[in-house]
Amino acid sequence: MDAHVAQLQMQYRNYILSLYQQGFLDDQFTELKSLQDDGSPDFVAEVLSLFFDDCVKLVGNMARALDQTGTVDFCQVGANVHQLKGSSSSVGAKRVKGLCINFKELCEAKNYEGCVRCLQQVDVEYKTLKAKLQDMFNLEKQIVQAGGIVPQVDIN
Amino acid sequence: MTVEHDIEAMDQFPVGMRVLAVDDDQTCLRILETLLHRCQYHVTTTDKAQTALELLRENKNKFDLVISDVDMPDMDGFKLLERVGLEMDSPVIMLSAHSDPKYVMKGVKHGACDYMLKPVRIEELKNIWQHVVRKSKFKKMKSIVTNGESEGNSDQNGVRANRKRKDQSEEEDEDEEEEEEQERGNEKKPRVIWTRELHNKFLAAVDHVGVKNAVPKKILELMNVDNLTRENVGSHLQKFRLALKKINNEANMAAANSHFTQMSSLKGLGSFHHYRPTPLGSSQFHGGAATMRHYPSNRTFAGMFPHFKSSLPRNHNDGGYMLQGKPFPSLETLHITNNNNNKAFPSFTSPQSSPLVASSNHLVLEGHQQSSFPSFSPHLEINKRLEDWSNAVYSNNIPQSNVHSKPDALEWNMDTTKTTSFCRDTDFGSSNAAQADFLDPFQMKQQHENILDPMTVAELSRSSSADEGLFMGQQKLENNFMASDAGSLDDIVNSMMTQV
């Protein structure tokens, strides 16, 4: 049992580290984790849930804005990108944030094709992150179910 | 939190400091809320600037500090910042993902205490209480200064009260008082107070040169008053001419005699004080100014500004004008006074403007009129008191349509409860459910945007009227100065002369 727990914990640790190393997550995510405590045990999960909801909404807005057969309102797109940048940086979604920075420049340049492409990338990226974090949460669940505690991963 | 807990918390400042967090991004808001809780502050959150304003207005002392995002759909964060600064004078911290210095500058210019970049770190939040301390210290200092000033003001009032007693004060005294007031006024801006005596001199001068030839320079020379500038005289002359013109126009718009008298006095009064070049959104006043023409009774006029009585200092309604606190003398007195002083406009024993001329003009013509003037006394004095009054009137009269859009509160609650749908066990919080929830706030947002419009209008009118109140106090008629109808003025002057 303990071995199993230990194994799971090791798996978890490695997984988290890889997420950081691959640039999916950054320090802000660590901060977020540090805010989670016994008082709010699901804090990270809650926030991430909100974040992904935001992603769905904002990507939808941007898709609509870029889908205009008439003139594309780049300001509108830009505003949504800006918001996505804000929230992604707040949760530590590093790759998504990086894409947003590019996206913003494309909006300012009114590069339609560039924007469309970038939006697709954002879409892929946040969904990927979502899947990865889901795996992470599942691991946590397994650890807890196996009687262990979720380890604090030191990212350094 | 229980009340006791709150009280305890207050004593342990900055623990328990009450923060209002505003951000339309729910992710950021949630994080911010948690961070603030971690700093042991008392946090209230909302994702609508509108709601934030309402909460703040509900009780101006409810929050110690406001943290607001810059980009919000229903209201620009800078605008909110301004509003809060104007109305509540609470410290506001701006929050944004924009690191562009120009945004920071904008924040500073609009009065932000601080500008933080997203993502916000807890270390930064741990120190925000300093802004509260700083602000309250500043306020204390300010109140000391204003107390000093208000003492000066009360002296001014005392001086005016003295004038009340001296019915026919010596010229030198008047001048001295003016000088004093001007000197004191130098703290802010020197203003000439057109006292009764001063105005009489003005009239005498105008009369002497003839209205057609009335130029500020000549009038100034004739008046021979110290500390009076040509500009003072010029602006006074403008108002005088304007009011006369209006009266003349009213005279042409014949109505029943009694109505006419009252109307014209009202109109004169109203035009003198409430005429605005472009009433931004304060259509009620514009309408008011126009509708005043049709008011048969002056009571309605007073009724238009219901709070006027209370707000105007020393507003003794003796049924007559208030000449700096002195009740308007009856016509007979006027006549007498007039004969003693100058042969110009009988009613011009007051610093009141032409409206009085008008009224007395018609008084003269009519033979007599009981002073059924409304308590609303048009002060020609361009001074702080008038500004205060105007402000008070306007602010009272603008419908306080702080739209209490209940949906906002509901939406907010919805958002906060919604998040519990997510937990580790589920597949990222039931994104489906989340989406369903999401639509609602979205729709509600649409509603709010609609609600915004009247709010904005009210806001505009409120702010514009506040501005215009000041504006009125200072420059009112100069903007509305139109080419004076010298011919008709002449007629009025002549008719006055003959009557007298």
Side-chain angles (χ1 to χ4, degrees), chain B residues 24-257:
Chain B
D24 65 316
D25 184 338
Q26 53 181 347
T27 315
C28 297
L29 192 62
R30 184 74 175 86
I31 296 173
L32 187 60
E33 184 185 21
T34 311
L35 286 171
L36 290 167
H37 272 135
R38 202 44 71 89
C39 298
Q40 295 183 285
Y41 301 141
H42 186 279
V43 188
T44 311
T45 60
T46 174
D47 64 344
K48 283 277 186 304
Q50 227 50 273
T51 316
L53 268 178
E54 284 163 29
L55 285 169
L56 286 163
R57 282 180 185 144
E58 219 172 83
N59 179 357
K60 299 205 172 167
N61 291 325
K62 203 169 176 181
F63 299 103
D64 298 310
L65 182 71
V66 180
I67 301 182
S68 169
D69 185 32
V70 166
D71 312 283
M72 289 189 287
D74 66 330
M75 188 192 285
D76 183 16
F78 294 117
K79 214 167 161 197
L80 175 66
L81 167 60
E82 260 181 1
R83 289 263 111 223
V84 174
L86 273 171
E87 296 176 27
M88 292 105 207
D89 201 23
S90 301
V92 182
I93 294 177
M94 300 310 291
L95 196 60
S96 178
H98 286 296
S99 54
D100 196 344
K102 72 174 182 216
Y103 280 88
V104 182
M105 178 63 96
K106 203 172 173 189
V108 171
K109 281 193 174 154
H110 283 77
C113 295
D114 204 351
Y115 189 102
M116 294 199 285
L117 292 179
K118 287 183 184 176
V120 181
R121 294 193 330 271
I122 196 167
E123 294 83 14
E124 292 174 345
L125 290 176
K126 285 211 166 113
N127 282 335
I128 56 175
W129 57 267
Q130 61 177 288
H131 301 294
V132 177
V133 175
R134 196 175 290 127
K135 195 116 196 184
S136 68
K137 236 186 148 184
F138 180 67
K139 273 188 200 171
K140 268 192 197 148
M141 280 171 54
K142 238 179 25 171
S143 66
I144 292 168
V145 172
T146 21
N147 280 338
E149 278 183 4
S150 65
E151 275 162 16
N153 281 343
S154 58
D155 285 351
Q156 275 185 335
N157 291 340
V159 164
R160 288 193 211 116
N162 287 336
R163 224 178 284 131
K164 209 166 140 181
R165 284 176 239 127
K166 324 178 211 173
D167 195 10
Q168 288 161 2
S169 49
E170 308 247 357
E171 287 178 24
E172 294 98 30
D173 287 348
E174 287 287 335
D175 290 349
E176 274 173 46
E177 283 161 358
E178 277 161 39
E179 279 176 61
E180 277 179 66
E181 281 161 1
Q182 278 184 356
E183 277 166 34
R184 234 176 263 116
N186 280 335
E187 282 173 353
K188 308 157 199 166
K189 223 178 170 185
R191 285 283 174 207
V192 169
I193 312 227
W194 284 90
T195 63
R196 193 161 34 112
E197 299 306 321
L198 194 63
H199 194 65
N200 281 340
K201 279 188 229 165
F202 169 78
L203 292 171
V206 168
D207 185 42
H208 187 77
V209 296
V211 176
K212 270 186 185 162
N213 298 329
V215 285
K217 193 174 168 198
K218 277 189 190 160
I219 296 170
L220 184 64
E221 282 167 23
L222 284 168
M223 284 175 72
N224 193 27
V225 171
D226 289 338
N227 287 342
L228 196 66
T229 68
R230 199 180 57 76
E231 287 83 22
N232 295 134
V233 175
S235 64
H236 193 68
L237 182 64
Q238 267 188 5
K239 287 171 198 123
F240 173 61
R241 282 205 177 117
L242 184 65
L244 277 183
K245 187 192 176 197
K246 286 197 182 296
I247 291 151
N248 201 39
N249 287 340
E250 286 295 323
N252 294 335
M253 290 163 53
N257 282 347

Side-chain angles (χ1 to χ4, degrees), chain A:
Chain A
M1 203 55 159
D2 285 335
H4 182 52
V5 168
Q7 191 195 11
L8 284 172
Q9 286 173 335
M10 176 76 93
Q11 223 181 322
Y12 178 78
R13 196 176 275 115
N14 288 337
Y15 192 65
I16 298 268
L17 281 170
S18 73
L19 287 178
Y20 278 90
Q21 280 159 4
Q22 289 169 34
F24 283 101
L25 300 171
D26 63 19
D27 288 339
Q28 189 60 25
F29 186 79
T30 322
E31 291 266 337
L32 224 64
K33 275 251 161 154
S34 71
L35 287 175
Q36 180 164 293
D37 58 11
D38 293 335
S40 47
D42 293 320
F43 174 67
V44 179
E46 280 176 36
V47 173
L48 285 169
S49 171
L50 288 172
F51 170 65
F52 288 117
D53 289 344
D54 271 350
C55 284
V56 170
K57 180 183 88 171
L58 294 169
V59 168
N61 288 349
M62 290 191 267
R64 264 191 301 276
L66 286 169
D67 196 29
Q68 302 296 326
T69 43
T71 47
V72 172
D73 186 358
F74 283 102
C75 285
Q76 176 73 6
V77 182
N80 282 296
V81 173
H82 176 73
Q83 192 166 346
L84 187 61
K85 181 182 163 203
S87 39
S88 58
S89 64
S90 298
V91 300
K94 192 173 175 183
R95 281 200 188 177
V96 179
K97 183 181 91 173
L99 279 174
C100 286
I101 295 173
N102 293 345
F103 204 156
K104 228 178 170 182
E105 287 170 20
L106 290 167
C107 284
E108 279 160 25
K110 301 204 195 243
N111 182 341
Y112 180 77
E113 277 164 17
C115 283
V116 172
R117 245 181 292 124
C118 204
L119 181 62
Q120 284 169 350
Q121 285 175 315
V122 166
D123 193 48
V124 167
E125 198 56 55
Y126 92 80
K127 283 173 179 163
T128 311
L129 182 64
K130 188 171 173 178
K132 294 234 179 242
L133 289 174
Q134 187 59 66
D135 289 343
M136 182 191 86
F137 281 118
N138 285 340
L139 267 175
E140 284 184 7
K141 189 173 142 192
Q142 282 177 9
I143 293 172
V144 169
Q145 277 178 350
I149 49 162
V150 180
Q152 298 276 38
V153 183
D154 199 8
I155 324 288
N156 279 326

Side-chain angles (χ1 to χ4, degrees), chain B residues 173-415:
Chain B
D173 287 348
E174 287 287 335
D175 290 349
E176 274 173 46
E177 283 161 358
E178 277 161 39
E179 279 176 61
E180 277 179 66
E181 281 161 1
Q182 278 184 356
E183 277 166 34
R184 234 176 263 116
N186 280 335
E187 282 173 353
K188 308 157 199 166
K189 223 178 170 185
R191 285 283 174 207
V192 169
I193 312 227
W194 284 90
T195 63
R196 193 161 34 112
E197 299 306 321
L198 194 63
H199 194 65
N200 281 340
K201 279 188 229 165
F202 169 78
L203 292 171
V206 168
D207 185 42
H208 187 77
V209 296
V211 176
K212 270 186 185 162
N213 298 329
V215 285
K217 193 174 168 198
K218 277 189 190 160
I219 296 170
L220 184 64
E221 282 167 23
L222 284 168
M223 284 175 72
N224 193 27
V225 171
D226 289 338
N227 287 342
L228 196 66
T229 68
R230 199 180 57 76
E231 287 83 22
N232 295 134
V233 175
S235 64
H236 193 68
L237 182 64
Q238 267 188 5
K239 287 171 198 123
F240 173 61
R241 282 205 177 117
L242 184 65
L244 277 183
K245 187 192 176 197
K246 286 197 182 296
I247 291 151
N248 201 39
N249 287 340
E250 286 295 323
N252 294 335
M253 290 163 53
N257 282 347
S258 57
H259 283 192
F260 174 47
T261 316
Q262 292 178 0
M263 268 169 56
S264 59
S265 64
L266 285 174
K267 182 69 175 71
L269 296 175
S271 66
F272 199 67
H273 286 279
H274 297 287
Y275 190 89
R276 295 143 161 269
T278 44
L280 310 167
S282 46
S283 51
Q284 59 185 36
F285 285 111
H286 189 62
T291 47
M292 267 160 37
R293 279 179 227 246
H294 309 294
Y295 274 120
S297 98
N298 48 18
R299 286 291 161 226
T300 34
F301 181 83
M304 275 195 63
F305 303 93
H307 301 282
F308 175 79
K309 273 190 183 179
S310 52
S311 53
L312 187 67
R314 295 201 307 264
N315 187 3
H316 310 292
N317 187 4
D318 295 318
Y321 283 112
M322 191 171 71
L323 309 177
Q324 298 177 339
K326 190 185 159 153
F328 190 66
S330 68
L331 185 59
E332 287 77 19
T333 320
L334 280 182
H335 273 289
I336 295 164
T337 320
N338 178 44
N339 291 332
N340 287 344
N341 293 340
N342 51 55
K343 291 195 174 174
F345 307 87
S347 68
F348 266 118
T349 52
S350 76
Q352 309 311 328
S353 62
S354 36
L356 282 181
V357 178
S359 53
S360 57
N361 179 13
H362 298 291
L363 285 175
V364 170
L365 293 173
E366 298 288 307
H368 181 67
Q369 172 168 2
Q370 281 303 334
S371 49
S372 53
F373 299 105
S375 57
F376 171 74
S377 59
H379 288 266
L380 178 50
E381 298 167 8
I382 309 162
N383 55 16
K384 187 168 188 295
R385 204 174 67 169
L386 179 61
E387 290 168 18
D388 290 342
W389 158 70
S390 300
N391 282 335
V393 169
Y394 294 130
S395 57
N396 278 332
N397 280 292
I398 297 289
Q400 297 292 332
S401 53
N402 301 323
V403 179
H404 292 281
S405 42
K406 294 295 176 198
D408 278 334
L410 286 177
E411 173 185 344
W412 175 37
N413 288 334
M414 270 175 68
D415 281 344

